[in-house]
Amino acid sequence: MTIQNKTVSFTQMKDGTKEEYELLHELEKPYLAMTADRVMDELRRHGETTLEGYKITRLQHGLQSATRAEEDGVVRWEVSWVIEHHGIFQMLYYAHHYGWDKDARDRYRDHPCFDTCAKFCERWDQSSFDPDYPTKPLEYFEPMVREVFSRKAYDPAVIQDGVSIGL
């Protein structure tokens, strides 16, 4: 490890020392503190990109989904699992047009977040392509984004193995 240049000597993670990982932990703090800024910047860029074939931008779609969810009283949901899997859950609405399995999501039926993802897709995501829907602006959701990314990663008060808080 070179403290002067602030680099580690290992080329494989398994070879790192405790001191090297402590250095990396310290060096990553400023970058991690900017996560919410990077997410907000990416969301703003989504406002510049129209969903090809749709009447709205990617940002408008996300904001409509969030607006609808909040109006339904949702405070939070298992965001990462829902985002990761909602594509396969959405196939329920269109897969048959391509000859695909519209019930492909059923392979996740026993997952604690299954019902949350199904509800997200049905109530808010699949219906959020309306250019006339009264949608709250990104600035409205910014404090919520910042709150989520200010939490301690893997905080046991927030993330509990096998537990779904639902909607």
Side-chain angles (χ1 to χ4, degrees):
M1 173 172 62
T2 308
I3 301 280
Q4 283 179 311
N5 296 331
K6 296 186 179 178
T7 61
V8 294
S9 62
F10 63 82
T11 57
Q12 295 185 42
M13 292 179 77
K14 64 183 178 182
D15 296 330
T17 66
K18 180 178 193 246
E19 291 77 20
E20 288 175 310
Y21 279 104
E22 287 173 349
L23 171 65
L24 292 175
H25 178 74
E26 287 304 310
L27 292 175
E28 288 178 352
K29 283 182 179 179
Y31 179 79
L32 295 174
M34 302 277 298
T35 300
D37 293 321
R38 289 192 307 279
V39 169
M40 292 300 298
D41 289 344
E42 183 62 26
L43 289 170
R44 285 184 194 98
R45 278 193 292 281
H46 283 214
E48 301 164 4
T49 308
T50 300
L51 282 165
E52 205 57 43
Y54 294 94
K55 297 177 182 178
I56 62 171
T57 66
R58 293 180 182 279
L59 176 60
Q60 288 169 316
H61 171 66
L63 293 174
Q64 269 189 48
S65 297
T67 298
R68 291 174 191 276
E70 186 188 58
E71 287 172 354
D72 254 357
V74 171
V75 176
R76 72 170 217 231
W77 57 79
E78 289 79 2
V79 176
S80 61
W81 200 91
V82 170
I83 290 171
E84 180 181 347
H85 292 85
H86 84 285
I88 196 168
F89 278 64
Q90 289 174 333
M91 288 173 55
L92 180 70
Y93 309 109
Y94 67 85
H96 59 285
H97 294 298
Y98 295 104
W100 301 342
D101 180 8
K102 70 180 186 68
D103 297 313
R105 72 186 193 167
D106 286 348
R107 70 179 125 186
Y108 300 106
R109 183 143 314 267
D110 293 333
H111 192 279
C113 296
F114 181 92
D115 290 337
T116 298
C117 194
K119 187 174 182 179
F120 168 80
C121 288
E122 174 60 28
R123 293 180 72 166
W124 310 303
D125 190 46
Q126 64 88 25
S127 60
S128 292
F129 297 93
D130 180 355
D132 298 320
Y133 186 79
T135 304
K136 294 179 180 172
L138 180 58
E139 294 73 27
Y140 175 83
F141 293 102
E142 184 171 355
M144 297 170 215
V145 169
R146 293 191 177 284
E147 188 273 325
V148 166
F149 288 101
S150 70
R151 295 180 190 153
K152 177 183 174 186
Y154 309 107
D155 185 344
V158 176
I159 298 177
Q160 300 172 33
D161 190 29
V163 174
S164 172
I165 60 166
L167 299 170

